[in-house]
Amino acid sequence: MRKSASPPNSTPPKPPSPLPPGPLPPIHAANMEIAHVADENLLFLCKSADLAPGSILKVEREAGALAVYNLEGEFFATDDRCTHGLASLSNGDIVDGEIECTMHFGTFDIKTGEPRQSPCSVAIKTYKVEVRGDDVFAVIG
Ligand code: FES
């Protein structure tokens, strides 16, 4: 009979599990960075307290910046670039639920992205927004 070449106790002991036995603890806001890493479809935009009602925030990313809006406490996100030109919509003004581009004053519906005022005629892309605890995310991809 052939014997194994390695000694019987050569495997190092396993380290103890960092989690206590039983059900996993709930995810809290402090752990949202971990949740963000785990879910590649979520893009962290901002803390909800950092974007006051009626405000716009530009969020840079490799695939193109997003404009994040707070409309009376509800958050929305669109592409930041105006479809009519090279203007950044986050520099614009919110007027009655529409974003007014500063370049030629065309407007888009913030919730749907549909163009509302000429010369804009092509919709801007909108993103579903999720608020988890104090964190605001866009669903991308
Ligand atoms: S670039 Fe925005 S309206 Fe012309």
Side-chain angles (χ1 to χ4, degrees), residues 82 84-85 87 101 103-104 106 120:
C82 180
H84 180 250
C101 180
M103 185 75 78
H104 306 108
C120 299

Side-chain angles (χ1 to χ4, degrees), residues 15-27:
S17 172
L19 295 174
L24 293 175
I27 296 176

Side-chain angles (χ1 to χ4, degrees), residues 11 16 20 27 51 56 58 90 94 100 102 112 123 129 134 136 140:
T11 305
I27 296 176
L51 189 60
I56 313 168
K58 183 176 184 177
S90 57
I94 297 174
E100 183 181 67
T102 57
T112 66
V129 171
D134 296 333
V136 182
I140 57 172

Side-chain angles (χ1 to χ4, degrees), residues 2-3 5 16 19 26 29 31 33 38 40-41 68 75-76 84-85 87-88 104-105 120-121 123 127 131-133 139:
R2 186 173 173 179
K3 291 193 171 186
L19 295 174
N31 294 335
E33 199 67 33
E40 294 176 358
N41 290 329
V68 187
F75 295 91
F76 298 90
H84 180 250
S88 170
H104 306 108
F105 307 106
C120 299
S121 61
Y127 299 85
V131 179
R132 295 184 178 186
V139 180

Side-chain angles (χ1 to χ4, degrees), residues 5-115:
S6 60
N9 290 330
S10 64
T11 305
K14 289 183 179 179
S17 172
L19 295 174
L24 293 175
I27 296 176
H28 297 289
N31 294 335
M32 292 315 295
E33 199 67 33
I34 295 169
H36 171 57
V37 171
D39 190 342
E40 294 176 358
N41 290 329
L42 291 182
L43 174 68
F44 174 77
L45 299 173
C46 62
K47 293 283 188 185
S48 57
D50 293 341
L51 189 60
S55 300
I56 313 168
L57 175 70
K58 183 176 184 177
V59 175
E60 300 281 359
R61 65 176 183 138
E62 278 188 30
L66 269 61
V68 187
Y69 313 85
N70 181 336
L71 297 183
E72 299 174 5
E74 196 172 355
F75 295 91
F76 298 90
T78 70
D79 278 342
D80 182 59
R81 184 173 164 183
C82 180
T83 56
H84 180 250
L86 297 177
S88 170
L89 292 173
S90 57
N91 290 329
D93 296 313
I94 297 174
V95 181
D96 295 333
E98 297 177 0
I99 179 65
E100 183 181 67
C101 180
T102 57
M103 185 75 78
H104 306 108
F105 307 106
T107 66
F108 300 91
D109 185 301
I110 291 172
K111 294 181 181 178
T112 66
E114 290 298 315

